[in-house]
Amino acid sequence: MVTETLTVYRGDADKYGNPNKQDHGTVQGVFAWGTTQPTTPVGGRGEDASTGADLFVPTGTDLRARDRVKRVNGDTYRIVGQVQWDHPHPMTNRTSKWVAYWVVST
């Protein structure tokens, strides 16, 4: 599997809710693309959209909910929630070497 290097940004929000993220390092990951949805109200005239995807990273990678990951091309995505699957398979009891996080574009 071909991975790409992603820069991780982590930090709290200021009192106005604006993220104050600092460079936290890099991780190797693979995106599995979902769909793109408009983020404007129905009948709105905006040109805003959000793309959701799964981000697969090696087990044990230091990612948390609300982290931002930035691709080399400048696209930034926000980690939504915790890891989606991080326990042995229920039938085979094998443990995967990869885990998935849900991400949305920011």
Side-chain angles (χ1 to χ4, degrees), residues 20-61:
N20 182 18
K21 307 292 183 183
Q22 303 298 319
D23 188 341
H24 186 70
T26 60
V27 297
Q28 295 295 314
V30 176
F31 285 95
W33 299 105
T35 59
T36 301
Q37 301 295 326
T39 56
T40 55
V42 175
R45 305 184 88 195
E47 298 178 355
D48 207 15
S50 176
T51 300
D54 286 322
L55 172 62
F56 290 88
V57 296
T59 301
T61 300

Side-chain angles (χ1 to χ4, degrees), residues 72-106:
V72 174
N73 68 3
D75 292 346
T76 305
Y77 298 87
R78 178 174 46 92
I79 304 288
V80 179
Q82 301 299 325
V83 66
Q84 294 184 33
W85 186 270
D86 64 348
H87 52 279
H89 189 279
M91 302 287 281
T92 64
N93 205 31
R94 287 191 208 150
T95 303
S96 174
K97 296 178 182 174
W98 294 84
V99 293
Y101 288 89
W102 175 249
V103 295
V104 293
S105 60
T106 58

